[in-house]
Amino acid sequence: MIHLIHKLHGSCSYCGVPRLKSICATIEKALRAGDSLEDIEPELFELQDEMEKVLESSELYLKGKEDEGA
């Protein structure tokens, strides 16, 4: 799990999604400190919520770009 969160954290840095990056950093730090998945369950739900927000925003952004080209 830590490997996946670490990769997502780096991707967030590259893509410019600071809120998602911050949540990943918090989860990664907790996992490295030895916290269990149960311990970080609230952060995992927050991660899921933020990922959904990013998807929604990207869909709106891409839709706007399509409309500009039309």
Side-chain angles (χ1 to χ4, degrees):
M1 176 80 162
I2 194 167
H3 178 71
L4 297 173
I5 293 295
H6 179 74
K7 289 182 84 164
L8 182 58
H9 182 212
S11 298
C12 292
S13 297
Y14 180 77
C15 295
V17 282
R19 178 77 181 123
L20 192 54
K21 177 185 172 190
S22 174
I23 296 167
C24 288
T26 300
I27 294 171
E28 185 176 358
K29 182 178 178 183
L31 290 173
R32 289 190 189 278
D35 291 359
S36 69
L37 292 180
E38 291 80 21
D39 293 335
I40 62 168
E41 186 176 20
E43 288 81 4
L44 294 174
F45 283 121
E46 190 176 352
L47 175 67
Q48 183 178 4
D49 290 344
E50 193 61 31
M51 290 174 71
E52 289 172 3
K53 289 177 188 175
V54 169
L55 282 172
E56 289 171 10
S57 295
S58 66
E59 289 169 359
L60 291 172
Y61 176 80
L62 293 173
K63 174 89 171 109
K65 289 295 182 184
E66 288 175 2
D67 292 344
E68 285 177 12

